[in-house]
Amino acid sequence: HKLNLDVKPLVPKALCFVDSFLVVCENENKLKTNFISVYSGNTLLKKFGQLGRGPVDMIAPMYLSDGKCEKRYFTVASASSIMKFDVEYLVSNDSLICITENLPEEVSLCNGMLYDSDTLSIMNCTGDNQITFFDKRTNESKGYSSFDNEFLSNGSVTNFIYNIQVFPAVSGCNNGNILIAYTMQKSLDVVSFDGNLKKRIRFNNYDSNKSKIRLDAGNGSLVNVFYDEDATYYFSSSCVTNDAFYALCQEEYKSSTSRTILYKFDWNGNLLMKYRFNTVFMRAVINNGTIYSIAKSDEGEYEVVYAEL
């Protein structure tokens, strides 16, 4: 169903809940300002967000709260820092205040914050590693990778190419475990907070794209890795709750009636439920048994929709 917000976002791209507030992020490059909206129920309470280099401005923001339900803070990565906005304070005050944490260079390309405490951050970063653990006490980072050698093993492929192009994935964590759901393989990994692979889950025909990989070497050295255009895309986005990890799967995107499949796993990687929707979900967040997502309307515009699980 369409979520009948009193002020409709024009170009939504990310969703999260902070306490009871729904936060909708829009395409900041099109709007430049006021691209983050805070709703209570269906009512718009506040708009904020400004591109720039001021103390509360953002540079190419990455919405680290996307797909999560968080307490108090809405979190954004901007340049080499993490910005945390107190949402309850935002909606009741005219001033814009945020807590800023600077990141060292080796983890500055943070794409997703899976876990954050006073002593430890667990992140997805653009780089050689699938998961990065950052110890705030020592200011040191440690990378984790466990690429599936049975799917592809080639000494000419760098870890960066493995991570970004061969094994792109979506992740989430809770209860001491990290779940990694792969986009080009129908498989998941369960990884502990100390960086050990605990379990690898492979669906039937998980490696259907293995024959659709193309290695592009130039002048005797590997330049890139590509998948054929008819490759199947599996897990494209994730959302987490206290008791479950949800992975959105697009394997039926090219069928006559495109639709998203939602898989629900517990934090040990056990499959609990499989949902089939009547449309394609782009991003999603789950709150109190309801999934909220961004989907394309019959008129071709993106809008916020919801479904009871």
Side-chain angles (χ1 to χ4, degrees), residues 182-230:
Y182 292 95
T183 301
M184 306 309 296
Q185 302 85 39
K186 197 171 185 183
S187 63
L188 297 94
D189 288 343
V190 181
V191 179
S192 65
F193 270 27
D194 56 6
N196 290 313
L197 178 64
K198 298 176 64 175
K199 186 178 182 181
R200 175 158 284 161
I201 305 112
R202 292 168 170 163
F203 287 75
N204 291 334
N205 200 30
Y206 88 100
D207 58 352
S208 64
N209 287 329
K210 189 173 183 178
S211 62
K212 299 176 182 179
I213 294 177
R214 299 290 175 262
L215 276 61
D216 179 18
N219 300 322
S221 62
L222 182 65
V223 174
N224 223 326
V225 176
F226 298 98
Y227 285 91
D228 290 344
E229 289 184 1
D230 62 346

mmCIF file of all heavy atoms in Angstrom, residues 182-230:
data_model
loop_
_atom_site.group_PDB
_atom_site.id
_atom_site.type_symbol
_atom_site.label_atom_id
_atom_site.label_comp_id
_atom_site.label_asym_id
_atom_site.label_seq_id
_atom_site.Cartn_x
_atom_site.Cartn_y
_atom_site.Cartn_z
ATOM 1 N N TYR A 182 25.005 -12.025 -0.386
ATOM 2 C CA TYR A 182 25.714 -11.681 -1.614
ATOM 3 C C TYR A 182 24.760 -11.337 -2.754
ATOM 4 O O TYR A 182 23.689 -11.934 -2.889
ATOM 5 C CB TYR A 182 26.639 -12.821 -2.012
ATOM 6 C CG TYR A 182 27.782 -12.994 -1.044
ATOM 7 C CD1 TYR A 182 27.699 -13.922 0.000
ATOM 8 C CD2 TYR A 182 28.910 -12.198 -1.137
ATOM 9 C CE1 TYR A 182 28.734 -14.047 0.919
ATOM 10 C CE2 TYR A 182 29.950 -12.320 -0.226
ATOM 11 C CZ TYR A 182 29.855 -13.249 0.796
ATOM 12 O OH TYR A 182 30.871 -13.365 1.713
ATOM 13 N N THR A 183 25.196 -10.384 -3.558
ATOM 14 C CA THR A 183 24.375 -9.904 -4.662
ATOM 15 C C THR A 183 24.458 -10.796 -5.890
ATOM 16 O O THR A 183 23.460 -11.028 -6.567
ATOM 17 C CB THR A 183 24.796 -8.473 -5.048
ATOM 18 O OG1 THR A 183 24.636 -7.626 -3.906
ATOM 19 C CG2 THR A 183 23.952 -7.926 -6.191
ATOM 20 N N MET A 184 25.623 -11.338 -6.190
ATOM 21 C CA MET A 184 25.804 -12.126 -7.412
ATOM 22 C C MET A 184 25.843 -13.626 -7.148
ATOM 23 O O MET A 184 25.979 -14.421 -8.074
ATOM 24 C CB MET A 184 27.088 -11.693 -8.133
ATOM 25 C CG MET A 184 27.172 -10.208 -8.434
ATOM 26 S SD MET A 184 25.709 -9.518 -9.265
ATOM 27 C CE MET A 184 25.739 -10.393 -10.835
ATOM 28 N N GLN A 185 25.756 -14.033 -5.894
ATOM 29 C CA GLN A 185 25.627 -15.447 -5.519
ATOM 30 C C GLN A 185 24.470 -15.555 -4.545
ATOM 31 O O GLN A 185 24.310 -14.684 -3.686
ATOM 32 C CB GLN A 185 26.899 -15.974 -4.842
ATOM 33 C CG GLN A 185 28.163 -15.852 -5.664
ATOM 34 C CD GLN A 185 28.799 -14.489 -5.522
ATOM 35 O OE1 GLN A 185 28.822 -13.905 -4.441
ATOM 36 N NE2 GLN A 185 29.332 -13.961 -6.606
ATOM 37 N N LYS A 186 23.685 -16.602 -4.651
ATOM 38 C CA LYS A 186 22.595 -16.766 -3.695
ATOM 39 C C LYS A 186 23.136 -17.512 -2.478
ATOM 40 O O LYS A 186 22.937 -18.712 -2.287
ATOM 41 C CB LYS A 186 21.400 -17.493 -4.320
ATOM 42 C CG LYS A 186 20.124 -17.306 -3.489
ATOM 43 C CD LYS A 186 18.893 -17.836 -4.185
ATOM 44 C CE LYS A 186 17.654 -17.516 -3.362
ATOM 45 N NZ LYS A 186 16.421 -18.066 -3.948
ATOM 46 N N SER A 187 23.851 -16.763 -1.662
ATOM 47 C CA SER A 187 24.500 -17.337 -0.493
ATOM 48 C C SER A 187 24.678 -16.271 0.568
ATOM 49 O O SER A 187 24.612 -15.060 0.282
ATOM 50 C CB SER A 187 25.852 -17.952 -0.862
ATOM 51 O OG SER A 187 26.739 -16.955 -1.343
ATOM 52 N N LEU A 188 24.899 -16.722 1.804
ATOM 53 C CA LEU A 188 25.133 -15.828 2.936
ATOM 54 C C LEU A 188 26.252 -16.390 3.794
ATOM 55 O O LEU A 188 26.467 -17.609 3.846
ATOM 56 C CB LEU A 188 23.888 -15.673 3.818
ATOM 57 C CG LEU A 188 22.639 -15.044 3.226
ATOM 58 C CD1 LEU A 188 21.710 -16.119 2.711
ATOM 59 C CD2 LEU A 188 21.935 -14.191 4.275
ATOM 60 N N ASP A 189 26.948 -15.497 4.486
ATOM 61 C CA ASP A 189 27.946 -15.878 5.474
ATOM 62 C C ASP A 189 27.530 -15.348 6.837
ATOM 63 O O ASP A 189 26.972 -14.254 6.945
ATOM 64 C CB ASP A 189 29.318 -15.295 5.135
ATOM 65 C CG ASP A 189 29.971 -15.968 3.937
ATOM 66 O OD1 ASP A 189 29.534 -17.079 3.566
ATOM 67 O OD2 ASP A 189 30.906 -15.382 3.367
ATOM 68 N N VAL A 190 27.829 -16.140 7.877
ATOM 69 C CA VAL A 190 27.686 -15.687 9.257
ATOM 70 C C VAL A 190 29.093 -15.521 9.816
ATOM 71 O O VAL A 190 29.882 -16.459 9.832
ATOM 72 C CB VAL A 190 26.893 -16.695 10.113
ATOM 73 C CG1 VAL A 190 26.747 -16.172 11.538
ATOM 74 C CG2 VAL A 190 25.526 -16.974 9.499
ATOM 75 N N VAL A 191 29.397 -14.305 10.265
ATOM 76 C CA VAL A 191 30.734 -13.967 10.753
ATOM 77 C C VAL A 191 30.615 -13.456 12.179
ATOM 78 O O VAL A 191 29.712 -12.679 12.497
ATOM 79 C CB VAL A 191 31.385 -12.889 9.852
ATOM 80 C CG1 VAL A 191 32.773 -12.521 10.365
ATOM 81 C CG2 VAL A 191 31.451 -13.377 8.404
ATOM 82 N N SER A 192 31.515 -13.884 13.050
ATOM 83 C CA SER A 192 31.489 -13.441 14.440
ATOM 84 C C SER A 192 32.101 -12.050 14.567
ATOM 85 O O SER A 192 32.788 -11.566 13.673
ATOM 86 C CB SER A 192 32.258 -14.427 15.321
ATOM 87 O OG SER A 192 33.636 -14.418 14.971
ATOM 88 N N PHE A 193 31.875 -11.419 15.710
ATOM 89 C CA PHE A 193 32.419 -10.091 15.955
ATOM 90 C C PHE A 193 33.941 -10.097 16.057
ATOM 91 O O PHE A 193 34.572 -9.040 15.987
ATOM 92 C CB PHE A 193 31.823 -9.496 17.235
ATOM 93 C CG PHE A 193 30.559 -8.702 17.009
ATOM 94 C CD1 PHE A 193 29.733 -8.985 15.929
ATOM 95 C CD2 PHE A 193 30.192 -7.685 17.869
ATOM 96 C CE1 PHE A 193 28.569 -8.257 15.711
ATOM 97 C CE2 PHE A 193 29.025 -6.951 17.665
ATOM 98 C CZ PHE A 193 28.213 -7.236 16.578
ATOM 99 N N ASP A 194 34.551 -11.273 16.225
ATOM 100 C CA ASP A 194 36.006 -11.326 16.233
ATOM 101 C C ASP A 194 36.574 -11.707 14.869
ATOM 102 O O ASP A 194 37.768 -11.989 14.728
ATOM 103 C CB ASP A 194 36.521 -12.293 17.308
ATOM 104 C CG ASP A 194 35.946 -13.697 17.168
ATOM 105 O OD1 ASP A 194 35.239 -13.963 16.170
ATOM 106 O OD2 ASP A 194 36.191 -14.523 18.056
ATOM 107 N N GLY A 195 35.708 -11.700 13.840
ATOM 108 C CA GLY A 195 36.186 -11.868 12.475
ATOM 109 C C GLY A 195 36.401 -13.294 12.025
ATOM 110 O O GLY A 195 37.233 -13.553 11.142
ATOM 111 N N ASN A 196 35.653 -14.243 12.567
ATOM 112 C CA ASN A 196 35.761 -15.639 12.140
ATOM 113 C C ASN A 196 34.504 -16.055 11.388
ATOM 114 O O ASN A 196 33.386 -15.742 11.798
ATOM 115 C CB ASN A 196 35.959 -16.562 13.350
ATOM 116 C CG ASN A 196 37.321 -16.382 13.985
ATOM 117 O OD1 ASN A 196 38.337 -16.353 13.294
ATOM 118 N ND2 ASN A 196 37.358 -16.227 15.310
ATOM 119 N N LEU A 197 34.693 -16.782 10.274
ATOM 120 C CA LEU A 197 33.563 -17.303 9.517
ATOM 121 C C LEU A 197 32.955 -18.468 10.284
ATOM 122 O O LEU A 197 33.597 -19.498 10.500
ATOM 123 C CB LEU A 197 34.022 -17.764 8.129
ATOM 124 C CG LEU A 197 32.951 -18.383 7.235
ATOM 125 C CD1 LEU A 197 31.873 -17.361 6.889
ATOM 126 C CD2 LEU A 197 33.574 -18.943 5.948
ATOM 127 N N LYS A 198 31.687 -18.318 10.706
ATOM 128 C CA LYS A 198 31.027 -19.347 11.492
ATOM 129 C C LYS A 198 30.196 -20.292 10.628
ATOM 130 O O LYS A 198 30.051 -21.468 10.936
ATOM 131 C CB LYS A 198 30.115 -18.699 12.546
ATOM 132 C CG LYS A 198 30.866 -17.845 13.558
ATOM 133 C CD LYS A 198 29.922 -17.145 14.524
ATOM 134 C CE LYS A 198 29.160 -18.113 15.396
ATOM 135 N NZ LYS A 198 28.337 -17.395 16.417
ATOM 136 N N LYS A 199 29.640 -19.749 9.530
ATOM 137 C CA LYS A 199 28.722 -20.564 8.738
ATOM 138 C C LYS A 199 28.582 -19.961 7.342
ATOM 139 O O LYS A 199 28.542 -18.743 7.191
ATOM 140 C CB LYS A 199 27.349 -20.591 9.430
ATOM 141 C CG LYS A 199 26.314 -21.495 8.816
ATOM 142 C CD LYS A 199 25.033 -21.443 9.667
ATOM 143 C CE LYS A 199 23.957 -22.366 9.153
ATOM 144 N NZ LYS A 199 22.721 -22.273 9.989
ATOM 145 N N ARG A 200 28.546 -20.810 6.334
ATOM 146 C CA ARG A 200 28.284 -20.371 4.960
ATOM 147 C C ARG A 200 27.029 -21.068 4.471
ATOM 148 O O ARG A 200 26.951 -22.307 4.480
ATOM 149 C CB ARG A 200 29.476 -20.661 4.065
ATOM 150 C CG ARG A 200 29.264 -20.360 2.594
ATOM 151 C CD ARG A 200 30.586 -20.156 1.879
ATOM 152 N NE ARG A 200 31.145 -18.839 2.195
ATOM 153 C CZ ARG A 200 32.439 -18.522 2.013
ATOM 154 N NH1 ARG A 200 33.287 -19.423 1.540
ATOM 155 N NH2 ARG A 200 32.861 -17.303 2.308
ATOM 156 N N ILE A 201 26.040 -20.292 4.072
ATOM 157 C CA ILE A 201 24.752 -20.842 3.629
ATOM 158 C C ILE A 201 24.642 -20.676 2.124
ATOM 159 O O ILE A 201 24.763 -19.565 1.608
ATOM 160 C CB ILE A 201 23.570 -20.111 4.303
ATOM 161 C CG1 ILE A 201 23.716 -20.154 5.822
ATOM 162 C CG2 ILE A 201 22.241 -20.700 3.874
ATOM 163 C CD1 ILE A 201 23.995 -18.818 6.450
ATOM 164 N N ARG A 202 24.439 -21.785 1.422
ATOM 165 C CA ARG A 202 24.295 -21.743 -0.025
ATOM 166 C C ARG A 202 22.931 -22.279 -0.412
ATOM 167 O O ARG A 202 22.561 -23.385 -0.026
ATOM 168 C CB ARG A 202 25.380 -22.572 -0.706
ATOM 169 C CG ARG A 202 26.785 -22.005 -0.563
ATOM 170 C CD ARG A 202 27.809 -23.020 -1.002
ATOM 171 N NE ARG A 202 29.151 -22.454 -1.111
ATOM 172 C CZ ARG A 202 30.253 -23.189 -1.165
ATOM 173 N NH1 ARG A 202 30.156 -24.518 -1.118
ATOM 174 N NH2 ARG A 202 31.432 -22.611 -1.282
ATOM 175 N N PHE A 203 22.180 -21.490 -1.181
ATOM 176 C CA PHE A 203 20.912 -21.957 -1.722
ATOM 177 C C PHE A 203 21.179 -22.855 -2.930
ATOM 178 O O PHE A 203 22.284 -22.872 -3.478
ATOM 179 C CB PHE A 203 20.051 -20.768 -2.151
ATOM 180 C CG PHE A 203 19.465 -19.975 -1.014
ATOM 181 C CD1 PHE A 203 20.253 -19.116 -0.262
ATOM 182 C CD2 PHE A 203 18.119 -20.090 -0.691
ATOM 183 C CE1 PHE A 203 19.717 -18.379 0.783
ATOM 184 C CE2 PHE A 203 17.572 -19.349 0.344
ATOM 185 C CZ PHE A 203 18.371 -18.500 1.081
ATOM 186 N N ASN A 204 20.151 -23.609 -3.329
ATOM 187 C CA ASN A 204 20.282 -24.425 -4.532
ATOM 188 C C ASN A 204 20.651 -23.549 -5.720
ATOM 189 O O ASN A 204 20.098 -22.463 -5.896
ATOM 190 C CB ASN A 204 18.970 -25.169 -4.816
ATOM 191 C CG ASN A 204 18.671 -26.243 -3.788
ATOM 192 O OD1 ASN A 204 19.589 -26.777 -3.147
ATOM 193 N ND2 ASN A 204 17.405 -26.558 -3.603
ATOM 194 N N ASN A 205 21.591 -24.037 -6.503
ATOM 195 C CA ASN A 205 22.034 -23.308 -7.701
ATOM 196 C C ASN A 205 22.559 -21.921 -7.344
ATOM 197 O O ASN A 205 22.395 -20.961 -8.098
ATOM 198 C CB ASN A 205 20.884 -23.196 -8.711
ATOM 199 C CG ASN A 205 21.368 -22.914 -10.128
ATOM 200 O OD1 ASN A 205 22.461 -23.319 -10.508
ATOM 201 N ND2 ASN A 205 20.565 -22.213 -10.903
ATOM 202 N N TYR A 206 23.212 -21.834 -6.202
ATOM 203 C CA TYR A 206 23.701 -20.536 -5.721
ATOM 204 C C TYR A 206 24.707 -19.906 -6.675
ATOM 205 O O TYR A 206 24.861 -18.681 -6.720
ATOM 206 C CB TYR A 206 24.344 -20.698 -4.346
ATOM 207 C CG TYR A 206 25.818 -21.057 -4.383
ATOM 208 C CD1 TYR A 206 26.795 -20.090 -4.195
ATOM 209 C CD2 TYR A 206 26.244 -22.357 -4.653
ATOM 210 C CE1 TYR A 206 28.141 -20.399 -4.247
ATOM 211 C CE2 TYR A 206 27.574 -22.679 -4.717
ATOM 212 C CZ TYR A 206 28.527 -21.699 -4.503
ATOM 213 O OH TYR A 206 29.866 -22.017 -4.569
ATOM 214 N N ASP A 207 25.422 -20.736 -7.447
ATOM 215 C CA ASP A 207 26.495 -20.247 -8.308
ATOM 216 C C ASP A 207 26.079 -20.141 -9.768
ATOM 217 O O ASP A 207 26.897 -20.320 -10.673
ATOM 218 C CB ASP A 207 27.726 -21.142 -8.175
ATOM 219 C CG ASP A 207 27.439 -22.601 -8.530
ATOM 220 O OD1 ASP A 207 26.259 -22.946 -8.733
ATOM 221 O OD2 ASP A 207 28.401 -23.391 -8.607
ATOM 222 N N SER A 208 24.804 -19.814 -10.012
ATOM 223 C CA SER A 208 24.308 -19.743 -11.392
ATOM 224 C C SER A 208 25.047 -18.701 -12.227
ATOM 225 O O SER A 208 25.068 -18.773 -13.461
ATOM 226 C CB SER A 208 22.805 -19.436 -11.401
ATOM 227 O OG SER A 208 22.561 -18.146 -10.848
ATOM 228 N N ASN A 209 25.661 -17.735 -11.575
ATOM 229 C CA ASN A 209 26.376 -16.684 -12.312
ATOM 230 C C ASN A 209 27.843 -17.023 -12.574
ATOM 231 O O ASN A 209 28.554 -16.224 -13.191
ATOM 232 C CB ASN A 209 26.311 -15.363 -11.535
ATOM 233 C CG ASN A 209 24.946 -14.723 -11.588
ATOM 234 O OD1 ASN A 209 24.218 -14.865 -12.557
ATOM 235 N ND2 ASN A 209 24.584 -14.013 -10.526
ATOM 236 N N LYS A 210 28.278 -18.188 -12.128
ATOM 237 C CA LYS A 210 29.690 -18.535 -12.267
ATOM 238 C C LYS A 210 30.130 -18.551 -13.724
ATOM 239 O O LYS A 210 31.250 -18.125 -14.057
ATOM 240 C CB LYS A 210 29.942 -19.900 -11.622
ATOM 241 C CG LYS A 210 31.400 -20.283 -11.506
ATOM 242 C CD LYS A 210 31.541 -21.560 -10.696
ATOM 243 C CE LYS A 210 32.999 -21.941 -10.502
ATOM 244 N NZ LYS A 210 33.139 -23.162 -9.674
ATOM 245 N N SER A 211 29.263 -19.011 -14.609
ATOM 246 C CA SER A 211 29.605 -19.084 -16.032
ATOM 247 C C SER A 211 29.444 -17.738 -16.737
ATOM 248 O O SER A 211 29.729 -17.624 -17.932
ATOM 249 C CB SER A 211 28.731 -20.132 -16.728
ATOM 250 O OG SER A 211 27.361 -19.757 -16.648
ATOM 251 N N LYS A 212 28.978 -16.722 -15.996
ATOM 252 C CA LYS A 212 28.695 -15.421 -16.608
ATOM 253 C C LYS A 212 29.705 -14.357 -16.202
ATOM 254 O O LYS A 212 29.470 -13.163 -16.366
ATOM 255 C CB LYS A 212 27.271 -14.985 -16.240
ATOM 256 C CG LYS A 212 26.225 -15.978 -16.744
ATOM 257 C CD LYS A 212 24.822 -15.633 -16.317
ATOM 258 C CE LYS A 212 23.838 -16.694 -16.816
ATOM 259 N NZ LYS A 212 22.458 -16.416 -16.413
ATOM 260 N N ILE A 213 30.834 -14.810 -15.660
ATOM 261 C CA ILE A 213 31.903 -13.899 -15.270
ATOM 262 C C ILE A 213 32.859 -13.711 -16.440
ATOM 263 O O ILE A 213 33.221 -14.669 -17.128
ATOM 264 C CB ILE A 213 32.668 -14.450 -14.053
ATOM 265 C CG1 ILE A 213 31.763 -14.476 -12.819
ATOM 266 C CG2 ILE A 213 33.911 -13.626 -13.770
ATOM 267 C CD1 ILE A 213 32.427 -15.085 -11.606
ATOM 268 N N ARG A 214 33.271 -12.476 -16.653
ATOM 269 C CA ARG A 214 34.240 -12.164 -17.687
ATOM 270 C C ARG A 214 35.402 -11.384 -17.080
ATOM 271 O O ARG A 214 35.189 -10.358 -16.433
ATOM 272 C CB ARG A 214 33.593 -11.334 -18.809
ATOM 273 C CG ARG A 214 32.449 -12.046 -19.512
ATOM 274 C CD ARG A 214 32.941 -13.223 -20.356
ATOM 275 N NE ARG A 214 31.822 -13.972 -20.938
ATOM 276 C CZ ARG A 214 31.327 -15.090 -20.432
ATOM 277 N NH1 ARG A 214 31.850 -15.578 -19.311
ATOM 278 N NH2 ARG A 214 30.337 -15.714 -21.015
ATOM 279 N N LEU A 215 36.635 -11.900 -17.263
ATOM 280 C CA LEU A 215 37.829 -11.233 -16.784
ATOM 281 C C LEU A 215 38.426 -10.427 -17.929
ATOM 282 O O LEU A 215 38.709 -10.963 -19.003
ATOM 283 C CB LEU A 215 38.854 -12.249 -16.279
ATOM 284 C CG LEU A 215 38.685 -12.744 -14.836
ATOM 285 C CD1 LEU A 215 37.359 -13.459 -14.643
ATOM 286 C CD2 LEU A 215 39.842 -13.651 -14.451
ATOM 287 N N ASP A 216 38.564 -9.135 -17.710
ATOM 288 C CA ASP A 216 39.065 -8.227 -18.735
ATOM 289 C C ASP A 216 40.501 -7.845 -18.401
ATOM 290 O O ASP A 216 40.750 -7.051 -17.499
ATOM 291 C CB ASP A 216 38.173 -6.984 -18.800
ATOM 292 C CG ASP A 216 38.648 -5.978 -19.836
ATOM 293 O OD1 ASP A 216 39.429 -6.386 -20.712
ATOM 294 O OD2 ASP A 216 38.236 -4.806 -19.763
ATOM 295 N N ALA A 217 41.445 -8.454 -19.094
ATOM 296 C CA ALA A 217 42.872 -8.175 -18.862
ATOM 297 C C ALA A 217 43.403 -7.271 -19.954
ATOM 298 O O ALA A 217 43.148 -7.484 -21.137
ATOM 299 C CB ALA A 217 43.658 -9.469 -18.813
ATOM 300 N N GLY A 218 44.138 -6.254 -19.554
ATOM 301 C CA GLY A 218 44.750 -5.346 -20.521
ATOM 302 C C GLY A 218 46.250 -5.309 -20.334
ATOM 303 O O GLY A 218 46.746 -5.170 -19.213
ATOM 304 N N ASN A 219 46.989 -5.478 -21.423
ATOM 305 C CA ASN A 219 48.458 -5.451 -21.394
ATOM 306 C C ASN A 219 49.046 -6.459 -20.411
ATOM 307 O O ASN A 219 50.031 -6.190 -19.718
ATOM 308 C CB ASN A 219 48.965 -4.045 -21.048
ATOM 309 C CG ASN A 219 48.521 -3.001 -22.057
ATOM 310 O OD1 ASN A 219 48.485 -3.276 -23.260
ATOM 311 N ND2 ASN A 219 48.179 -1.806 -21.578
ATOM 312 N N GLY A 220 48.399 -7.625 -20.322
ATOM 313 C CA GLY A 220 48.930 -8.697 -19.493
ATOM 314 C C GLY A 220 48.562 -8.627 -18.031
ATOM 315 O O GLY A 220 48.904 -9.529 -17.263
ATOM 316 N N SER A 221 47.900 -7.588 -17.581
ATOM 317 C CA SER A 221 47.496 -7.487 -16.179
ATOM 318 C C SER A 221 45.982 -7.337 -16.108
ATOM 319 O O SER A 221 45.371 -6.733 -16.980
ATOM 320 C CB SER A 221 48.178 -6.306 -15.491
ATOM 321 O OG SER A 221 47.803 -5.103 -16.113
ATOM 322 N N LEU A 222 45.394 -7.865 -15.035
ATOM 323 C CA LEU A 222 43.944 -7.817 -14.898
ATOM 324 C C LEU A 222 43.467 -6.387 -14.670
ATOM 325 O O LEU A 222 43.980 -5.673 -13.820
ATOM 326 C CB LEU A 222 43.495 -8.691 -13.732
ATOM 327 C CG LEU A 222 41.993 -8.751 -13.511
ATOM 328 C CD1 LEU A 222 41.300 -9.425 -14.678
ATOM 329 C CD2 LEU A 222 41.656 -9.465 -12.229
ATOM 330 N N VAL A 223 42.513 -5.959 -15.450
ATOM 331 C CA VAL A 223 41.966 -4.620 -15.302
ATOM 332 C C VAL A 223 40.655 -4.652 -14.540
ATOM 333 O O VAL A 223 40.427 -3.846 -13.649
ATOM 334 C CB VAL A 223 41.757 -3.953 -16.682
ATOM 335 C CG1 VAL A 223 41.054 -2.613 -16.523
ATOM 336 C CG2 VAL A 223 43.083 -3.775 -17.394
ATOM 337 N N ASN A 224 39.812 -5.622 -14.882
ATOM 338 C CA ASN A 224 38.486 -5.594 -14.291
ATOM 339 C C ASN A 224 37.825 -6.963 -14.386
ATOM 340 O O ASN A 224 38.308 -7.852 -15.098
ATOM 341 C CB ASN A 224 37.610 -4.559 -15.007
ATOM 342 C CG ASN A 224 36.801 -3.735 -14.034
ATOM 343 O OD1 ASN A 224 36.385 -4.243 -12.997
ATOM 344 N ND2 ASN A 224 36.565 -2.472 -14.352
ATOM 345 N N VAL A 225 36.713 -7.100 -13.665
ATOM 346 C CA VAL A 225 35.883 -8.300 -13.714
ATOM 347 C C VAL A 225 34.452 -7.858 -13.966
ATOM 348 O O VAL A 225 33.964 -6.923 -13.326
ATOM 349 C CB VAL A 225 35.956 -9.112 -12.402
ATOM 350 C CG1 VAL A 225 35.010 -10.304 -12.452
ATOM 351 C CG2 VAL A 225 37.382 -9.582 -12.146
ATOM 352 N N PHE A 226 33.784 -8.515 -14.916
ATOM 353 C CA PHE A 226 32.407 -8.154 -15.272
ATOM 354 C C PHE A 226 31.512 -9.380 -15.220
ATOM 355 O O PHE A 226 31.964 -10.511 -15.415
ATOM 356 C CB PHE A 226 32.345 -7.565 -16.690
ATOM 357 C CG PHE A 226 33.132 -6.307 -16.873
ATOM 358 C CD1 PHE A 226 34.406 -6.343 -17.413
ATOM 359 C CD2 PHE A 226 32.592 -5.086 -16.516
ATOM 360 C CE1 PHE A 226 35.136 -5.182 -17.593
ATOM 361 C CE2 PHE A 226 33.315 -3.916 -16.693
ATOM 362 C CZ PHE A 226 34.587 -3.978 -17.230
ATOM 363 N N TYR A 227 30.231 -9.140 -14.977
ATOM 364 C CA TYR A 227 29.202 -10.162 -15.156
ATOM 365 C C TYR A 227 28.440 -9.858 -16.444
ATOM 366 O O TYR A 227 28.234 -8.689 -16.799
ATOM 367 C CB TYR A 227 28.221 -10.172 -13.980
ATOM 368 C CG TYR A 227 28.781 -10.805 -12.721
ATOM 369 C CD1 TYR A 227 29.429 -10.037 -11.764
ATOM 370 C CD2 TYR A 227 28.658 -12.170 -12.502
ATOM 371 C CE1 TYR A 227 29.946 -10.614 -10.614
ATOM 372 C CE2 TYR A 227 29.171 -12.763 -11.357
ATOM 373 C CZ TYR A 227 29.813 -11.979 -10.414
ATOM 374 O OH TYR A 227 30.328 -12.552 -9.283
ATOM 375 N N ASP A 228 28.033 -10.913 -17.149
ATOM 376 C CA ASP A 228 27.230 -10.726 -18.356
ATOM 377 C C ASP A 228 25.920 -10.027 -18.015
ATOM 378 O O ASP A 228 25.438 -10.079 -16.872
ATOM 379 C CB ASP A 228 26.929 -12.075 -19.015
ATOM 380 C CG ASP A 228 28.171 -12.710 -19.633
ATOM 381 O OD1 ASP A 228 29.173 -11.986 -19.815
ATOM 382 O OD2 ASP A 228 28.129 -13.919 -19.915
ATOM 383 N N GLU A 229 25.325 -9.402 -19.017
ATOM 384 C CA GLU A 229 24.086 -8.655 -18.794
ATOM 385 C C GLU A 229 22.939 -9.543 -18.327
ATOM 386 O O GLU A 229 22.015 -9.064 -17.664
ATOM 387 C CB GLU A 229 23.683 -7.911 -20.071
ATOM 388 C CG GLU A 229 24.599 -6.734 -20.400
ATOM 389 C CD GLU A 229 24.113 -5.957 -21.600
ATOM 390 O OE1 GLU A 229 23.040 -6.334 -22.154
ATOM 391 O OE2 GLU A 229 24.776 -4.984 -21.995
ATOM 392 N N ASP A 230 22.967 -10.836 -18.673
ATOM 393 C CA ASP A 230 21.878 -11.724 -18.268
ATOM 394 C C ASP A 230 22.144 -12.403 -16.924
ATOM 395 O O ASP A 230 21.448 -13.349 -16.554
ATOM 396 C CB ASP A 230 21.602 -12.775 -19.346
ATOM 397 C CG ASP A 230 22.806 -13.683 -19.583
ATOM 398 O OD1 ASP A 230 23.921 -13.352 -19.132
ATOM 399 O OD2 ASP A 230 22.627 -14.746 -20.219
#
